[in-house]
Amino acid sequence: MAKLGMGVVGVGTMGRQHAQNIRRLTPQAQLLAIADVALKRAQQVASELEIEHAYNNVEALVERRDIQAVVVATPAKFHGATMRVCAQAGKDIFCEKPFTLTIEEADELLEVIGRAGVRVQVGHVRRYDPPNVNAKKRIEAGEIGDPVIFKSLARDPAPPPVSYMASGVNGMFFQDSTVHEFDLGRWLMNDEIAEIHAYGGVLVFPEIAQFNDIDSALVNMKFSRGTLGAVENYMQSGYGYDVRTEIVGSKGTIITGYLQRTAEVVLTATGAKTDVVDHFLVRFADGYLNEMCDFVQTILADRQPNVDAFDGRQAVAVAAAAERSYREERVVTVANRARSSRAA
Amino acid sequence: MAKLGMGVVGVGTMGRQHAQNIRRLTPQAQLLAIADVALKRAQQVASELEIEHAYNNVEALVERRDIQAVVVATPAKFHGATMRVCAQAGKDIFCEKPFTLTIEEADELLEVIGRAGVRVQVGHVRRYDPPNVNAKKRIEAGEIGDPVIFKSLARDPAPPPVSYMASGVNGMFFQDSTVHEFDLGRWLMNDEIAEIHAYGGVLVFPEIAQFNDIDSALVNMKFSRGTLGAVENYMQSGYGYDVRTEIVGSKGTIITGYLQRTAEVVLTATGAKTDVVDHFLVRFADGYLNEMCDFVQTILADRQPNVDAFDGRQAVAVAAAAERSYREERVVTVANRARSSRAA
Amino acid sequence: MAKLGMGVVGVGTMGRQHAQNIRRLTPQAQLLAIADVALKRAQQVASELEIEHAYNNVEALVERRDIQAVVVATPAKFHGATMRVCAQAGKDIFCEKPFTLTIEEADELLEVIGRAGVRVQVGHVRRYDPPNVNAKKRIEAGEIGDPVIFKSLARDPAPPPVSYMASGVNGMFFQDSTVHEFDLGRWLMNDEIAEIHAYGGVLVFPEIAQFNDIDSALVNMKFSRGTLGAVENYMQSGYGYDVRTEIVGSKGTIITGYLQRTAEVVLTATGAKTDVVDHFLVRFADGYLNEMCDFVQTILADRQPNVDAFDGRQAVAVAAAAERSYREERVVTVANRARSSRAA
Amino acid sequence: MAKLGMGVVGVGTMGRQHAQNIRRLTPQAQLLAIADVALKRAQQVASELEIEHAYNNVEALVERRDIQAVVVATPAKFHGATMRVCAQAGKDIFCEKPFTLTIEEADELLEVIGRAGVRVQVGHVRRYDPPNVNAKKRIEAGEIGDPVIFKSLARDPAPPPVSYMASGVNGMFFQDSTVHEFDLGRWLMNDEIAEIHAYGGVLVFPEIAQFNDIDSALVNMKFSRGTLGAVENYMQSGYGYDVRTEIVGSKGTIITGYLQRTAEVVLTATGAKTDVVDHFLVRFADGYLNEMCDFVQTILADRQPNVDAFDGRQAVAVAAAAERSYREERVVTVANRARSSRAA
């Protein structure tokens, strides 16, 4: 049986998670090397996971003949440059979301990827969350009739460190965070988001204003076939990491997501208490494993990725429209493009 | 349309609740009089509910020609004497549980009732709790295959006042409280409880020992057709009033009961919180109304009550067996009798 | 103790419900008369509830000296005319929502009411739903920090009969239905809704298009102090009556509402099943009783109503803005006015 | 850092699961070899997990100097013989539950283990289930006051294949299955089970009678300090794998366990539906990983195991008492022994 040789570029929180998951995909995949601009961090993760090779640049990693596929988990601003190197070296790519921070870069990359003929999967992990996977199947089976309203909310427990905002490598709230829900809406409704109205605000984290960013967003959406959507994104829930989605149809509704982490209820004089999911790595633990498993199987089977670069590009376009709507205080049309046969 | 003239004897917590419910059964029923040994209490409840007549003895109440049915909600020790008066006056009776405190008195009463030819319904309210009603229908419809295990738990928030225990008018824990679950088991399993093993203990409320009573009980039961049952009863949950039941079948299980009172979830840094049902009048609000409604319709329609004196007597017998098992530390056979055609 | 003499005008679903609830408010209130343009219906409800007097017009009802307060539960289009008659007769008024169908009529009525010096409570029942009541208290106690996002959804099980739409007496979706959520948002956020963006659609009930109405709405809102809100309203859930609300704060979130009606879980090979609330009279049974109880106590105590005509007027203004936003496909400013000392 | 060389003996469902989990314990542990009487199966699992060595007997495996610890996951009947070989070779042992099938063998093994001076951990996985872990901590912190009633239920979705029963290598229902709950009760109540009353029955799976076994059990228990317990064990839930536990205290209750597998609720005209956990590997996925992690850390740190051979022996004694109670239809005292300083 074929075994996919893999490398991971960027081992912050997400890159490290992907690296651990690849190690569980035995015997289909083998993680051969790790690269990070911080060589020490690359070496440390390599040591913990018993990976032989560690580099401080992607160029060195892609020189390895035994590596066929690369996971790109750098900050978003460097996704483009890193993917170029990988694509030119003929490597298939798993890229963390967002695909890019701008539509322009996304379109250029589609060209590069198309010319190089490599496969690209974008890490829109919500599509691999088991309840969402089930929801998609039920919708396609007609269990809720015609899906007509898509709703989703995503709340982080607390804002990221100010240094994260200040680094300028991750994009605005819409591009960095809400983009997850935009992709999920496209997928579950099987339609493009055509039009957007977004409210945003600096409601709880005043430090964010200096970065021209927001901590709260409510987005109203119209899909191209006339159905509707609404997304909430919030930076400081105060209680945990909370992502819930509803797909409302003409004959029923599906709700996905959960609040309780541990299956324990404590009953005392103050009432009933449970804990709450506290981190996205907990909430989407299965999703992260499943998406990597799907990527490995896709590449080994020489198939087209289920969430490809075009999907990545469209989600970036929705995020851009949301930002413009917020800034210009008006309804904005999304700069969608048609899927070309060549673009990955 | 006929209208049932009614009286209530004993307006403590339960009698008062029944009186209020009767007032909602317009236009089928009319509450005409209230009796209580404490005349002042009778008068006060009558005034609040706009009932014309208040008495301090049952004899005066049953003399009224316009009263056809009487609700007996005195302390349990006086159920027998009160029902005798009512039966001899030819009144139909709704009697709070337990039917009596001893098997002997129950058997005597069956005779009295049978001779008088009056109808008696016993207040085993769990049978009128909507989830239990649904469960019964599902079992009969075969939704869970053959029911093979009956389980139920009942927890009070806190022990009653010591004066309640000291009054000696309410019976031991098994007779006063667990009797609810015994009746429910008989009904849902459609079978008699044949054999009992009971553990009991003074585990949290030492004051109860002086009354030769217990605060905790675990009862293992075998039904006459070989299926099994387990009941927990506990006097001091510390969090609320909690009654939950499971009927386990060869193809599925039904769980009834609930913890949360108010449909509100509070999410903060300490987790997710809800409140808990705090009182049996809350937990069984629908049940109490439904059982009285059924009683009124039963009498107006000249039908046999759905929970009759014989049912009351059998539950008393199970409670007696549980007490004996606890005291003698051994398995005990229940002194069941067959339903006679004459006994109500 | 004073007893409030009351009448009910209009005994469709809601009027009948209010009449039943008044009967439970013994001994504070007494329902003396019912009026309905359909005299037969008035007489039937009077007979069932044992009310002595039935009329086919409001004028006759308000002539009664023993009636001090009137419940107006006619179709919305007739709220204004009916309230005028009541106000001119010096009766205090409980008016079903919506207060009126237009801002103009609302403003005129505020004048009439103010001049007549009568008290008016508007039936925005969500404010009396126990979980919402608790939520309000918690927000005021600071349990979730600063409330910054208000979200609510309301789904009807199925569209009303076409005759209901065709009657032209109930207003558009925003005025007739979404108005509930608008009032709730004002109350929970303790702020006015300043600006609106609404998407609407005929997505599942094509018959509604002929009435120039919609079956689905998503509304984005900005409150006057900069916080945000989002409301969904949908006419055909296919599964039940579903109203859920979230108030998101800087330190936590409160979720109110529930799906399950009966406390029964059925576990079989097809999974776990529960039923779902099927009707607003079930979902808001407590709310309807509580609001009437509050009205009676308010009038008896000679206090200002907790949800008054001004509140009714502001909610009407938000609904009007939502409709305009939908029709003109743009963000719309709400025509709020300041609470005058005299109005309401 | 030290790395623990490990082997697994017996790669049926559980052995395979343990092997996969060991592979995730990088870099603390390394799985070096697998043994199974079916060499082909050993080789296949070794190949899938990229383990170098496969054997068809435990003797060959324990000859390896690089293996310091062995996981014994053979059928229960062979636990004793396998552990003897491992102990005599000086290997530390992780043994699947039940420790043994009889008290006699358990006592002999305690001797062998004590003499060999090896460490033994028994796979009572419920102790490593996160909600149970939390529950234990809360009890110790006094959150529910004094724990006074222990309750647990365990339902398998369907009976095992008849061949499993017929093999005679796994013990009766009490020894093979209920033993889990007995250990959990000992641990959570921090007490020995002193006395037992057990009902059992062949209620749904008649084929089991030929093996002198049962498919249903209800066990009433008294702990040595007078607190109480009740356990249900059932072989054919028809809906899934269901394990739930309650610890009832003088000030509150903790409930652990869950029914829903996927965080998806489907709302249609037939109500609300969720799926249900279908397998113990799903229900206790975290538990199995956690117990192996604890074992590795325990051995590397040269500590006493948290669930040791003595614990295993006591649970076996409770199971034996339950069986005797069932067969002799009477209350039975458990043959507990005191923990000796030498016994592991």
Side-chain angles (χ1 to χ4, degrees), chain C:
Chain C
M1 185 171 50
K3 183 189 282 287
L4 189 68
M6 296 183 73
V8 171
V9 181
V11 281
T13 304
M14 280 316 308
R16 192 189 192 101
Q17 179 71 18
H18 289 312
Q20 285 172 337
N21 285 339
I22 292 167
R23 282 200 78 262
R24 294 177 63 183
L25 298 177
T26 301
Q28 283 84 22
Q30 186 168 12
L31 181 51
L32 296 165
I34 281 173
D36 196 292
V37 288
L39 182 60
K40 218 150 198 178
R41 184 159 66 169
Q43 287 168 333
Q44 189 192 330
V45 172
S47 157
E48 279 173 23
L49 299 180
E50 302 181 334
I51 309 305
E52 233 171 308
H53 308 284
Y55 305 98
N56 72 345
N57 63 87
V58 62
E59 287 79 4
L61 185 142
V62 299
E63 264 177 31
R64 296 191 64 90
R65 289 279 188 96
D66 55 0
I67 288 181
Q68 298 150 257
V70 178
V71 172
V72 175
T74 64
K77 197 174 185 176
F78 307 123
H79 282 181
T82 311
M83 280 191 274
R84 270 171 210 274
V85 174
C86 295
Q88 280 153 6
K91 310 297 186 190
D92 291 315
I93 299 166
F94 177 98
C95 178
E96 251 309 309
K97 57 55 45 186
F99 183 53
T100 61
L101 292 178
T102 67
I103 304 179
E104 295 67 30
E105 186 169 29
D107 283 336
E108 287 169 28
L109 266 175
L110 284 184
E111 283 301 305
V112 171
I113 291 162
R115 276 197 307 270
V118 299
R119 299 174 188 288
V120 175
Q121 180 171 327
V122 180
H124 283 301
V125 67
R126 278 166 182 52
R127 295 199 191 193
Y128 290 89
D129 183 39
N132 287 339
V133 171
N134 285 5
K136 178 73 173 174
K137 283 183 198 150
R138 290 184 199 280
I139 293 168
E140 289 179 345
E143 285 191 38
I144 58 165
D146 299 319
V148 292
I149 302 177
F150 165 80
K151 297 181 75 177
S152 201
L153 67 86
R155 298 182 192 143
D156 281 299
V162 168
S163 60
Y164 179 91
M165 315 300 308
S167 70
V169 293
N170 295 292
M172 196 205 181
F173 200 38
F174 292 116
Q175 279 89 2
D176 189 40
S177 179
T178 328
V179 70
H180 269 305
E181 315 310 318
F182 296 146
D183 175 72
L184 184 63
R186 289 182 65 245
W187 183 59
L188 288 175
M189 301 299 276
N190 194 28
D191 199 358
E192 297 293 348
I193 297 163
E195 201 186 280
I196 285 259
H197 174 265
Y199 275 133
V202 180
L203 301 180
V204 288
F205 184 48
E207 293 85 343
I208 210 170
Q210 62 186 301
F211 307 112
N212 199 19
D213 204 345
I214 55 175
D215 53 33
S216 311
L218 290 179
V219 184
N220 250 3
M221 316 190 300
K222 183 174 272 184
F223 288 86
S224 76
R225 289 198 288 271
T227 61
L228 303 176
V231 167
E232 176 210 324
N233 202 180
Y234 183 55
M235 205 174 258
Q236 180 180 296
S237 79
Y239 59 86
Y241 181 76
D242 186 3
V243 173
R244 285 174 279 144
T245 300
E246 304 202 17
I247 312 98
V248 183
S250 57
K251 293 182 179 169
T253 280
I254 299 170
I255 304 177
T256 70
Y258 59 101
L259 288 163
Q260 189 178 351
R261 175 174 185 173
T262 311
E264 186 202 29
V265 182
V266 182
L267 299 157
T268 61
T270 61
K273 264 191 320 186
T274 65
D275 64 0
V276 178
V277 171
D278 60 348
H279 200 281
F280 59 87
L281 291 182
V282 172
R283 174 65 182 81
F284 290 109
D286 289 336
Y288 289 122
L289 182 60
N290 294 347
E291 69 176 358
M292 196 52 66
C293 185
D294 186 44
F295 176 66
V296 168
Q297 290 173 353
T298 293
I299 302 305
L300 287 177
D302 199 24
R303 286 195 311 250
Q304 178 67 10
N306 288 311
V307 201
D308 65 10
F310 176 76
D311 290 315
R313 185 268 177 212
Q314 297 293 80
V316 167
V318 182
E323 179 178 355
R324 175 167 289 187
S325 174
Y326 158 67
R327 297 210 186 280
E328 302 185 1
E329 303 187 335
R330 62 177 181 85
V331 177
V332 168
T333 301
V334 178
N336 285 312
R337 58 182 270 191
R339 180 184 283 275
S340 75
S341 53
R342 206 184 55 169

Side-chain angles (χ1 to χ4, degrees), chain D residues 12-244:
Chain D
T13 304
M14 282 316 307
R16 192 190 192 99
Q17 180 71 18
H18 290 313
Q20 285 172 337
N21 284 340
I22 293 169
R23 282 201 79 261
R24 293 176 64 183
L25 298 177
T26 300
Q28 283 85 21
Q30 186 169 13
L31 181 51
L32 296 164
I34 281 171
D36 196 292
V37 289
L39 182 60
K40 218 151 197 177
R41 185 160 65 170
Q43 287 167 334
Q44 190 192 328
V45 172
S47 156
E48 279 173 23
L49 299 180
E50 301 182 333
I51 309 305
E52 233 171 308
H53 309 285
Y55 305 99
N56 72 346
N57 64 88
V58 62
E59 288 79 4
L61 184 142
V62 298
E63 264 178 29
R64 298 191 63 91
R65 290 276 188 96
D66 53 1
I67 289 181
Q68 297 150 259
V70 178
V71 172
V72 175
T74 64
K77 198 174 186 177
F78 308 123
H79 282 180
T82 311
M83 279 192 274
R84 271 171 209 275
V85 174
C86 294
Q88 280 153 6
K91 309 300 186 188
D92 292 314
I93 298 167
F94 177 98
C95 178
E96 250 311 308
K97 56 53 48 186
F99 183 52
T100 61
L101 292 178
T102 67
I103 304 180
E104 295 68 31
E105 186 170 30
D107 284 335
E108 286 170 27
L109 266 176
L110 284 184
E111 283 301 307
V112 170
I113 290 161
R115 278 199 305 272
V118 298
R119 298 172 189 287
V120 175
Q121 180 171 326
V122 180
H124 283 302
V125 67
R126 279 168 182 49
R127 296 199 192 193
Y128 291 90
D129 183 40
N132 287 338
V133 170
N134 284 5
K136 178 73 174 173
K137 284 183 198 151
R138 290 184 200 280
I139 293 168
E140 290 180 344
E143 285 192 36
I144 58 166
D146 298 320
V148 292
I149 302 178
F150 165 80
K151 297 182 73 178
S152 201
L153 68 85
R155 298 182 193 143
D156 280 300
V162 169
S163 60
Y164 180 91
M165 315 300 308
S167 70
V169 292
N170 296 293
M172 196 204 181
F173 200 40
F174 293 115
Q175 281 88 1
D176 190 39
S177 179
T178 328
V179 69
H180 270 305
E181 315 311 318
F182 296 146
D183 175 72
L184 184 63
R186 291 181 63 245
W187 183 59
L188 288 175
M189 300 300 276
N190 194 28
D191 199 357
E192 295 294 347
I193 297 163
E195 202 185 278
I196 284 260
H197 174 266
Y199 276 133
V202 180
L203 301 179
V204 288
F205 184 48
E207 294 85 341
I208 210 170
Q210 62 187 302
F211 307 112
N212 200 20
D213 205 344
I214 55 176
D215 53 33
S216 312
L218 289 179
V219 185
N220 250 4
M221 317 190 299
K222 183 173 272 184
F223 287 86
S224 75
R225 289 197 289 271
T227 60
L228 303 175
V231 167
E232 176 210 325
N233 202 179
Y234 182 56
M235 206 175 257
Q236 180 180 297
S237 79
Y239 59 86
Y241 181 76
D242 186 3
V243 174
R244 284 174 281 143

